[in-house]
Amino acid sequence: MKRIASFTVNHDTLEKGMYVSREDGDVITYDIRMKKPNCGDYLSTAELHTIEHLFATFARNSEFAESVLYVGPMGCRTGFYMLLRDSVSRADAIKLVKDSMAFIKDFTGVIPGSTRQECGNYKEHDLPNAKLVAADMLSVLSNWEEKNLAYK
Protein backbone atom coordinates (compact mmCIF):
# COMPACT_ATOMS: atom_id res chain seq x y z
CA MET A 1 0.00 0.00 0.00
CA LYS A 2 1.01 3.60 -0.54
CA ARG A 3 2.40 5.24 2.58
CA ILE A 4 0.19 8.08 3.82
CA ALA A 5 1.68 11.57 4.08
CA SER A 6 1.57 11.87 7.87
CA PHE A 7 3.77 8.77 8.21
CA THR A 8 6.52 10.45 6.18
CA VAL A 9 7.09 13.11 8.86
CA ASN A 10 10.00 12.28 11.17
CA HIS A 11 8.26 12.18 14.52
CA ASP A 12 11.60 11.99 16.36
CA THR A 13 12.39 15.57 15.33
CA LEU A 14 8.85 16.98 15.54
CA GLU A 15 8.29 19.61 18.21
CA LYS A 16 5.15 21.11 19.73
CA GLY A 17 3.60 23.67 17.42
CA MET A 18 1.32 24.10 14.44
CA TYR A 19 2.13 22.80 10.97
CA VAL A 20 0.57 22.37 7.56
CA SER A 21 0.23 18.61 7.31
CA ARG A 22 -1.21 18.49 3.79
CA GLU A 23 -3.09 20.38 1.12
CA ASP A 24 -5.85 18.68 -0.85
CA GLY A 25 -7.47 20.98 -3.36
CA ASP A 26 -9.09 23.72 -1.31
CA VAL A 27 -8.63 21.91 2.02
CA ILE A 28 -5.67 22.50 4.31
CA THR A 29 -4.97 20.01 7.10
CA TYR A 30 -3.23 21.57 10.09
CA ASP A 31 -1.26 19.53 12.60
CA ILE A 32 -1.73 21.06 16.06
CA ARG A 33 1.02 19.26 17.96
CA MET A 34 0.51 19.62 21.71
CA LYS A 35 2.99 17.01 22.91
CA LYS A 36 6.40 16.04 21.58
CA PRO A 37 6.00 12.60 19.99
CA ASN A 38 7.49 9.45 21.49
CA CYS A 39 8.58 11.10 24.75
CA GLY A 40 6.17 9.32 27.09
CA ASP A 41 4.04 12.40 27.81
CA TYR A 42 0.70 12.10 26.01
CA LEU A 43 -2.70 13.71 26.34
CA SER A 44 -4.89 11.62 28.60
CA THR A 45 -8.11 10.41 27.03
CA ALA A 46 -10.12 12.69 29.32
CA GLU A 47 -8.03 15.79 28.50
CA LEU A 48 -8.18 15.00 24.81
CA HIS A 49 -11.94 14.54 24.96
CA THR A 50 -12.49 17.86 26.72
CA ILE A 51 -10.19 19.73 24.35
CA GLU A 52 -12.03 18.17 21.42
CA HIS A 53 -15.43 19.37 22.66
CA LEU A 54 -14.19 22.89 23.41
CA PHE A 55 -11.86 23.33 20.42
CA ALA A 56 -14.46 22.09 17.91
CA THR A 57 -17.23 24.14 19.49
CA PHE A 58 -15.16 27.31 19.45
CA ALA A 59 -13.87 26.84 15.89
CA ARG A 60 -17.32 26.00 14.55
CA ASN A 61 -18.73 29.15 16.14
CA SER A 62 -15.91 31.44 15.04
CA GLU A 63 -15.94 33.88 12.16
CA PHE A 64 -14.49 31.01 10.10
CA ALA A 65 -17.27 28.55 10.96
CA GLU A 66 -18.27 27.97 7.33
CA SER A 67 -14.68 27.01 6.48
CA VAL A 68 -14.09 24.63 9.41
CA LEU A 69 -14.45 21.08 8.11
CA TYR A 70 -13.06 19.10 11.05
CA VAL A 71 -11.36 19.48 14.41
CA GLY A 72 -10.39 16.21 16.04
CA PRO A 73 -7.72 14.32 17.99
CA MET A 74 -4.81 12.30 16.72
CA GLY A 75 -4.90 8.65 17.66
CA CYS A 76 -1.39 8.91 19.13
CA ARG A 77 -2.72 11.47 21.64
CA THR A 78 -0.08 14.08 20.83
CA GLY A 79 -2.40 16.65 19.28
CA PHE A 80 -5.21 17.51 16.91
CA TYR A 81 -5.94 17.88 13.24
CA MET A 82 -7.89 20.87 12.02
CA LEU A 83 -9.15 20.92 8.45
CA LEU A 84 -10.01 24.30 6.96
CA ARG A 85 -10.94 25.54 3.52
CA ASP A 86 -8.11 27.52 1.96
CA SER A 87 -10.30 30.63 2.08
CA VAL A 88 -8.90 30.97 5.63
CA SER A 89 -5.44 32.48 5.42
CA ARG A 90 -2.63 30.74 7.23
CA ALA A 91 -2.26 33.74 9.53
CA ASP A 92 -5.96 33.50 10.37
CA ALA A 93 -5.62 29.75 10.96
CA ILE A 94 -2.88 30.45 13.52
CA LYS A 95 -5.08 33.09 15.13
CA LEU A 96 -8.02 30.66 15.23
CA VAL A 97 -5.93 28.08 17.08
CA LYS A 98 -4.59 30.68 19.51
CA ASP A 99 -8.10 32.02 20.14
CA SER A 100 -9.38 28.47 20.62
CA MET A 101 -6.65 27.72 23.15
CA ALA A 102 -7.40 30.96 25.02
CA PHE A 103 -11.08 29.99 25.09
CA ILE A 104 -10.21 26.57 26.54
CA LYS A 105 -7.73 28.02 29.05
CA ASP A 106 -10.36 30.41 30.40
CA PHE A 107 -13.42 28.17 30.06
CA THR A 108 -15.79 27.79 32.99
CA GLY A 109 -19.13 26.09 33.13
CA VAL A 110 -20.60 23.00 31.53
CA ILE A 111 -18.56 21.50 28.70
CA PRO A 112 -20.59 21.76 25.48
CA GLY A 113 -21.99 18.45 24.31
CA SER A 114 -21.20 16.65 27.56
CA THR A 115 -24.57 15.14 28.42
CA ARG A 116 -25.45 11.49 27.98
CA GLN A 117 -27.74 12.35 25.07
CA GLU A 118 -25.03 14.37 23.27
CA CYS A 119 -21.91 12.27 23.79
CA GLY A 120 -20.96 8.60 23.69
CA ASN A 121 -18.52 8.90 26.60
CA TYR A 122 -19.97 11.85 28.50
CA LYS A 123 -18.40 11.00 31.88
CA GLU A 124 -14.79 11.08 30.70
CA HIS A 125 -13.71 14.72 30.74
CA ASP A 126 -10.90 16.59 32.48
CA LEU A 127 -11.38 20.35 32.27
CA PRO A 128 -8.62 21.35 34.73
CA ASN A 129 -5.92 19.51 32.79
CA ALA A 130 -7.37 20.51 29.40
CA LYS A 131 -6.97 24.11 30.54
CA LEU A 132 -3.31 23.47 31.41
CA VAL A 133 -2.65 21.94 27.98
CA ALA A 134 -4.33 24.92 26.30
CA ALA A 135 -2.24 27.37 28.34
CA ASP A 136 0.91 25.50 27.33
CA MET A 137 -0.10 25.65 23.64
CA LEU A 138 -0.69 29.40 23.95
CA SER A 139 2.86 29.71 25.17
CA VAL A 140 4.20 27.53 22.34
CA LEU A 141 2.28 29.51 19.70
CA SER A 142 2.86 32.98 21.20
CA ASN A 143 5.22 34.08 18.41
CA TRP A 144 4.16 31.52 15.78
CA GLU A 145 4.16 32.86 12.23
CA GLU A 146 3.34 31.48 8.81
CA LYS A 147 7.01 30.60 8.25
CA ASN A 148 6.79 28.22 11.24
CA LEU A 149 3.98 26.17 9.64
CA ALA A 150 6.40 24.03 7.60
CA TYR A 151 7.70 20.80 9.09
CA LYS A 152 11.45 20.99 9.66
Side-chain angles (χ1 to χ4, degrees), residues 4 8 11 17 44 66 69-70 74-75 82 93 96 104 107 111 119 122 131 145 148 150:
I4 64 172
T8 65
H11 285 67
S44 74
E66 295 301 315
L69 301 175
Y70 177 75
M74 297 175 179
M82 178 177 70
L96 176 58
I104 295 166
F107 186 81
I111 297 163
C119 180
Y122 73 102
K131 291 169 80 141
E145 299 175 351
N148 302 113

Coordinates of all heavy atoms in Angstrom, one line a residue, residues 4 8 11 17 44 66 69-70 74-75 82 93 96 104 107 111 119 122 131 145 148 150:
I4 N 0.9 6.8 3.7 CA 0.2 8.1 3.8 C 1.1 9.2 4.3 O 2.2 8.9 4.9 CB -1.0 8.0 4.7 CG1 -0.7 7.7 6.2 CG2 -2.0 7.0 4.2 CD1 -1.8 7.8 7.1
T8 N 5.2 10.1 6.7 CA 6.5 10.4 6.2 C 7.2 11.5 7.0 O 8.4 11.9 6.7 CB 6.4 10.9 4.7 OG1 5.6 12.1 4.7 CG2 5.7 9.9 3.8
H11 N 8.8 11.9 13.2 CA 8.3 12.2 14.5 C 9.3 12.3 15.6 O 9.0 12.8 16.7 CB 7.2 11.2 14.9 CG 5.9 11.4 14.1 ND1 5.8 11.1 12.8 CD2 4.7 11.8 14.5 CE1 4.6 11.4 12.4 NE2 3.9 11.8 13.4
G17 N 3.8 22.5 18.3 CA 3.6 23.7 17.4 C 2.4 23.4 16.5 O 1.6 22.6 16.7
S44 N -4.0 12.7 28.1 CA -4.9 11.6 28.6 C -6.2 11.6 27.8 O -6.5 12.6 27.1 CB -5.2 11.9 30.1 OG -6.2 12.9 30.2
E66 N -17.9 28.6 8.6 CA -18.3 28.0 7.3 C -17.1 27.3 6.7 O -17.3 26.5 5.8 CB -18.9 29.0 6.4 CG -20.2 29.6 6.9 CD -21.3 28.6 7.1 OE1 -21.4 27.7 6.2 OE2 -21.9 28.6 8.2
L69 N -13.9 22.4 8.5 CA -14.5 21.1 8.1 C -14.3 20.0 9.2 O -15.2 19.2 9.3 CB -13.7 20.6 6.9 CG -13.8 21.5 5.7 CD1 -12.9 21.0 4.5 CD2 -15.2 21.7 5.2
Y70 N -13.3 20.1 10.0 CA -13.1 19.1 11.0 C -12.1 19.6 12.1 O -11.1 20.3 11.7 CB -12.5 17.8 10.4 CG -12.2 16.7 11.3 CD1 -13.1 16.0 11.9 CD2 -10.8 16.4 11.6 CE1 -12.8 14.9 12.8 CE2 -10.5 15.4 12.5 CZ -11.5 14.7 13.1 OH -11.2 13.7 14.0
M74 N -5.7 13.3 17.3 CA -4.8 12.3 16.7 C -4.9 11.0 17.6 O -4.9 11.1 18.8 CB -3.4 12.8 16.7 CG -3.2 14.0 15.9 SD -1.4 14.6 16.0 CE -1.5 16.0 14.9
G75 N -4.9 9.9 16.9 CA -4.9 8.6 17.7 C -3.7 8.5 18.6 O -3.8 7.8 19.6
M82 N -6.8 19.9 12.3 CA -7.9 20.9 12.0 C -7.9 21.0 10.5 O -6.8 21.4 9.9 CB -7.6 22.2 12.7 CG -8.6 23.3 12.4 SD -8.3 24.9 13.3 CE -6.8 25.4 12.5
A93 N -5.6 31.1 10.4 CA -5.6 29.7 11.0 C -4.8 29.7 12.3 O -5.3 29.2 13.3 CB -5.1 28.7 10.0
L96 N -6.9 31.5 14.8 CA -8.0 30.7 15.2 C -7.6 29.6 16.3 O -8.3 29.4 17.3 CB -8.7 29.9 14.0 CG -9.8 29.0 14.3 CD1 -10.9 29.6 15.1 CD2 -10.3 28.3 13.0
I104 N -10.3 27.8 25.7 CA -10.2 26.6 26.5 C -9.6 26.9 27.9 O -10.0 26.5 28.9 CB -9.4 25.4 25.8 CG1 -10.2 25.0 24.6 CG2 -9.2 24.3 26.8 CD1 -9.4 24.1 23.6
F107 N -12.1 28.7 30.0 CA -13.4 28.2 30.1 C -13.9 27.8 31.5 O -13.2 27.2 32.3 CB -13.5 26.9 29.2 CG -14.9 26.5 29.0 CD1 -15.8 27.1 28.1 CD2 -15.4 25.4 29.8 CE1 -17.1 26.6 28.0 CE2 -16.7 25.0 29.7 CZ -17.6 25.6 28.8
I111 N -19.2 21.8 30.0 CA -18.6 21.5 28.7 C -19.6 21.3 27.6 O -20.5 20.4 27.9 CB -17.6 20.3 28.8 CG1 -16.5 20.6 29.8 CG2 -17.1 19.9 27.5 CD1 -15.8 19.4 30.3
C119 N -23.3 12.8 23.9 CA -21.9 12.3 23.8 C -21.9 10.8 24.2 O -22.5 10.4 25.1 CB -21.0 13.1 24.7 SG -19.3 12.5 24.7
Y122 N -19.7 10.6 27.9 CA -20.0 11.9 28.5 C -19.3 12.0 29.9 O -19.1 13.1 30.3 CB -21.5 12.1 28.6 CG -22.2 11.3 29.6 CD1 -22.6 11.9 30.8 CD2 -22.6 10.0 29.4 CE1 -23.2 11.2 31.8 CE2 -23.2 9.3 30.3 CZ -23.6 9.8 31.5 OH -24.2 9.1 32.5
K131 N -7.3 22.7 30.4 CA -7.0 24.1 30.5 C -5.4 24.3 30.6 O -4.9 25.2 30.0 CB -7.7 24.7 31.8 CG -9.2 24.8 31.6 CD -9.9 25.2 32.9 CE -9.8 26.6 33.1 NZ -11.0 27.3 33.7
E145 N 4.4 32.1 13.5 CA 4.2 32.9 12.2 C 4.0 31.9 11.1 O 4.3 30.7 11.2 CB 5.3 33.8 11.9 CG 5.6 34.9 13.0 CD 6.8 35.7 12.7 OE1 7.6 35.4 11.7 OE2 7.0 36.7 13.4
N148 N 6.6 29.3 10.3 CA 6.8 28.2 11.2 C 5.9 27.0 10.9 O 6.0 26.0 11.5 CB 6.5 28.7 12.7 CG 7.4 29.8 13.1 OD1 6.9 30.9 13.4 ND2 8.7 29.5 13.2
A150 N 5.8 25.1 8.4 CA 6.4 24.0 7.6 C 7.1 23.1 8.6 O 7.8 23.5 9.5 CB 7.4 24.6 6.6

